[in-house]
Structure formats: C-alpha cells, structure tokens
Amino acid sequence: MIRRSFYYLWGSQTISNAADIIYMLSVVVLVFSSSNSLMTTILIPLFRLSAQVLSGLVAPIVLGRFRLTQVLLFSQFGQFIIFTLLLLYLWIVPEQRSFLFIFVMVFGMSFLDGWTNPARNALVPRLATGEGLMRANGMVAVSDQVVKCAGWALSGMIVAWLGSLNTLAIASCCYLAAVTVTSFIRDPLDQKESNPESSESLTDAVEPAKEKGSHWKELGEGWKIIWHNRRIRSLMIVDSVDSIGGVSWLGVFILAYVSQVLHRDASWWGFMNASFFSGTILGGLIVVGLVKRLQKNSFLYMLGALLVYVLITIVFALNTIPVAALVLFAVSGLPVQMAGIIRRTLLQTSAPPAQLPKVMAGIDVLTNLAFGLALLFMGWYADRFGMVQVYLLAAAMTAIAVLIGWWYRRDFQENEPVDHPTATGAGI
C-alpha cells in the first residue's frame, strides 16, 4: 500500500533535486566566469561535501528530537531562505563579489540538505508498506535519475540562454514549490503519537534525552544499531566492498577511459554518461514492474544483479570498440540500479521505524567516508596501472562483495519486508 503522502514526498524531493542541480551548475558557472580560476571553483564541491559530512554526524540528534516531516520542512525552508539571501546578494553586488560569502552560503545549504536524505529514506517505509515499498523505492530511484539526466543537460542550455542569475531565480521558485508540497506530507507515526493515550509514554521517551551526555549517546545509537543488527551490518559490508570499484564509474574515470582506451574526444564522455543514465532509468522501471517477483528472495536477486554487473564490467574493461562500450555502459546501469533499489528496501525493512532515521544517518556517513577513501585509492590505482586494470579491479571487488553476500545469505532467508509496529520509538 502506498499512502497519498508518499506522492507529496516524491514530488517535493523531485522538485528539490531539480533545484539543486540548477543552482549548483549556475553557481559553478558564475564563480568560474568571475574568477577564471579552476582552483577557486573546485572549492564549491569541497564546501558542499564537507557540509554534508558534518551534517550527517549531527543528524542523529536532529532526527531524534524532531518529527521527520518537521526536519524535511525545516531543511527545505532553510535552504530556500539561504538561497534567497545568496540570490539577493548576487543581484545587489554585480561586481567584485566575495567568493567567501558564496562558499559560506553553499556550505549552509548543503548542511541543511544533509538531513534530507536520511529523513526521506526513513519516511518512505512509513508511507509505503508491503509490495508498495519496493515500488515506491523504484519510483524514487527513477525520478532521481531522470532529474539528473535531464537536469544537467537542460540546465546548461538554460544558463547559456538566460544567464546565471536568471537561472538562479528559477531555482529559487523551485525551492519554494518544494517547501509548499512538503507541507502536505503527513507521517502516520506522528498521528499515532498524537493520541492522548500515548502522551504519557511520549513524555517518558523524551525526558531521558535531556539527561547529561545524552547527545553523545544519540550520536552513537545509529552506529550501534548498524553493528548489532546482522542484516544491516551484512548489507553495509557488501555495499562498502562494492563501492571500492563503484567509484570507477564517476565522470573523471569515464573521461580517462574514453581517452586512453577508446581514443575518442570528450564528446564521447557525454554520450557515455547519457547511456548510463538511460540504463539506470530502465532498471528502476523494471523493478517497479516486477515488484511481486522480486519481493521474494530479494537479497538473492540483489546478488544476482551484482553478478551480472561483474560480467558486464569485465567485458567493458577488455573492450576497445567505442559503440560496444556505449552499449555496455548503458546495460551496466540496469543491474546497478536494481541492486541499489533492493538494497535500500532491505535496509528500510531491517530496523523498526523509530530507529530507522538514526540508522539512515549513520549509513549516509559510512557511505560518504567509503566513497571518499575509495575515490582516493582508485585515483592512485588509475595513475599507476591504467583504466583497463581499474575496471578489472572494480569487477573483482564486486565479485568479492557477491561472495560475502552469499556467506551472509542466511540472515535474509525470511526477507519479506517486515511491517514493524509504528507505535514504537516515540519522540521521532
């Protein structure tokens, strides 16, 4: 079952993601054209990533003190306010702008945005249950990829046509629209907690949080759940090993592959990215259409998708034909998306709803750390051994992840999504 509020959540996040892409591309173009410095422009993603990591570290406290709908609304409204201040500053000061001010605004928006992802992922299983959960995750994944695919392409044309400032004004309207749609979301767990019968238990649950040292306890609570919950721990181990090779599909590595292996110009880089996005969109649509079949033995389907990805990656690494590489890159996006949607669904059903926000916050931090370390390692490995060896290593790491997953398969023998009682965990 999928509640109406899910569609509000889905719509608000889609609009917000589109606004993020528009604003980020506009700011990058604006800073680069004003400074003519690549190093200065690189500081934008650096401030953005740093803010999201810090935000993820304090997210358990925020998600433990406030309702998820409140966190989403505050995050998006705060981003709208900061973005409006940035836009006014850029309009009022047309020349000799302070890049530091721009970076601080980007940091503030990214810090607030860091609470959105764990809140959204924890809210989805409350709004979609049973077969509806995997279908809802598939819909979210498809819309995310469509926005990324269309957003980066159309934003460039919009910036070239209207200019950076006018494009930023469009992004501001999108943020306001996202805030408006978010205000209609209703969390069923909040409604149960609002019953007079549960008011006493709610007070009892909130009071201990005010004790001395409770902040540190809350910060570590999500990590403890991840470590002690066998299913979540198994999924995170598989995901961490897989992510080592997964970073090889980032744009900079694809650009190097196009140049070193295919011996083509940068235009093929754009073709490769477009083909991959097409594959991920198709993978999401397949999951939505085959929910009933994937619902049973979903963990094994995830391992099967990763195994298919391994075979495609090996062929991709050894291939030197540009058209074949384009096709393989598109096909690889299909199992990657399928495995990702199933993994997210399994994570969402492996912890009670009250604990899920803190678990998702911890998972986001782990994912960002694993991504950063893997990026550094694969960058060094690419310089040392070349792109063919990079993709062979990526295939090997995912194969190891599949073997690890097969070892832990008994933890998922009863892998039907569990509808945990939503009355637990008052205070979220």
Side-chain angles (χ1 to χ4, degrees):
M1 181 185 72
I2 299 180
R3 296 175 181 268
R4 180 183 299 178
S5 285
F6 166 76
Y7 296 102
Y8 292 133
L9 175 65
W10 184 31
S12 69
Q13 291 301 293
T14 301
I15 297 171
S16 180
N17 290 337
D20 285 341
I21 293 175
I22 294 173
Y23 120 79
M24 184 53 59
L25 184 60
S26 301
V27 170
V28 166
V29 171
L30 185 67
V31 170
F32 183 74
S33 61
S34 300
S35 64
N36 291 318
S37 171
L38 183 60
M39 288 302 299
T40 301
T41 309
I42 287 176
L43 290 176
I44 295 175
L46 180 61
F47 271 83
R48 184 177 174 86
L49 180 61
S50 300
Q52 289 177 338
V53 170
L54 290 175
S55 177
L57 290 175
V58 301
I61 295 178
V62 176
L63 297 173
R65 290 289 194 274
F66 304 98
R67 293 185 173 91
L68 297 181
T69 50
Q70 292 176 332
V71 173
L72 280 174
L73 192 59
F74 176 79
S75 173
Q76 292 186 334
F77 185 70
Q79 290 181 71
F80 169 71
I81 295 298
I82 295 175
F83 187 80
T84 301
L85 292 176
L86 174 61
L87 183 59
L88 290 175
Y89 171 77
L90 294 175
W91 276 106
I92 295 172
V93 185
E95 297 180 358
Q96 296 181 345
R97 301 183 179 107
S98 171
F99 293 127
L100 179 60
F101 180 83
I102 296 175
F103 297 151
V104 170
M105 294 294 102
V106 170
F107 184 93
M109 290 188 62
S110 302
F111 185 86
L112 292 176
D113 188 51
W115 299 336
T116 302
N117 197 48
R120 180 189 75 172
N121 288 334
L123 192 56
V124 168
R126 300 183 186 183
L127 304 178
T129 57
E131 294 178 359
L133 178 56
M134 189 175 292
R135 183 174 287 108
N137 282 325
M139 293 166 64
V140 170
V142 169
S143 63
D144 285 350
Q145 297 303 322
V146 169
V147 168
K148 289 179 181 178
C149 183
W152 285 108
L154 296 178
S155 296
M157 292 188 292
I158 293 174
V159 171
W161 180 36
L162 299 178
S164 296
L165 290 180
N166 291 328
T167 306
L168 287 173
I170 295 176
S172 179
C173 295
C174 290
Y175 279 123
L176 182 59
V179 172
T180 303
V181 177
T182 299
S183 65
F184 291 104
I185 300 174
R186 297 294 179 266
D187 184 354
L189 183 59
D190 294 343
Q191 296 172 359
K192 288 194 174 185
E193 289 179 351
S194 63
N195 290 337
E197 298 176 359
S198 63
S199 60
E200 183 177 351
S201 61
L202 177 60
T203 304
D204 294 339
V206 174
E207 285 300 322
K210 298 180 181 179
E211 296 177 0
K212 184 177 181 181
S214 62
H215 290 306
W216 293 106
K217 183 178 179 180
E218 284 189 76
L219 287 174
E221 188 174 343
W223 303 92
K224 290 180 181 179
I225 297 171
I226 293 173
W227 179 251
H228 291 293
N229 187 309
R230 288 178 58 86
R231 288 173 58 139
I232 296 177
R233 186 173 72 241
S234 303
L235 288 167
M236 289 311 302
I237 292 174
V238 171
D239 184 58
S240 298
V241 175
D242 178 47
S243 67
I244 296 176
V247 299
S248 62
W249 301 101
L250 290 179
V252 62
F253 292 104
I254 296 300
L255 182 59
Y257 173 84
V258 167
S259 175
Q260 296 177 11
V261 180
L262 301 182
H263 305 292
R264 290 294 187 271
D265 58 29
S267 63
W268 274 83
W269 180 42
F271 299 152
M272 299 285 282
N273 286 327
S275 67
F276 183 76
F277 279 126
S278 301
T280 57
I281 292 171
L282 179 60
L285 292 174
I286 290 176
V287 171
V288 172
L290 298 178
V291 167
K292 290 185 177 180
R293 179 173 297 182
L294 296 176
Q295 198 75 12
K296 290 186 177 181
N297 299 317
S298 57
F299 184 75
L300 295 181
Y301 276 112
M302 184 192 78
L303 296 182
L306 290 177
L307 189 59
V308 172
Y309 161 79
V310 169
L311 298 177
I312 295 173
T313 305
I314 293 174
V315 177
F316 181 81
L318 301 177
N319 171 69
T320 57
I321 303 174
V323 176
L326 204 63
V327 174
L328 289 168
F329 204 42
V331 174
S332 68
L334 194 153
V336 167
Q337 185 73 301
M338 291 183 65
I341 294 172
I342 294 174
R343 181 165 54 238
R344 181 188 297 176
T345 303
L346 289 171
L347 284 170
Q348 291 170 333
T349 56
S350 296
Q355 298 175 344
L356 195 56
K358 296 176 182 179
V359 171
M360 285 300 177
I363 288 174
D364 274 4
V365 173
L366 286 175
T367 301
N368 286 331
L369 289 176
F371 177 84
L373 294 174
L375 183 60
L376 292 174
F377 171 74
M378 293 301 283
W380 169 83
Y381 194 86
D383 286 338
R384 178 94 180 203
F385 300 105
M387 291 309 301
V388 173
Q389 295 301 321
V390 164
Y391 287 107
L392 290 176
L393 177 62
M397 296 308 301
T398 302
I400 293 173
V402 171
L403 292 176
I404 294 174
W406 182 257
W407 177 266
Y408 285 112
R409 70 188 185 281
R410 292 184 179 179
D411 296 336
F412 298 88
Q413 285 180 345
E414 296 181 2
N415 56 9
E416 292 287 344
V418 180
D419 293 332
H420 299 280
T422 56
T424 59
I428 298 298

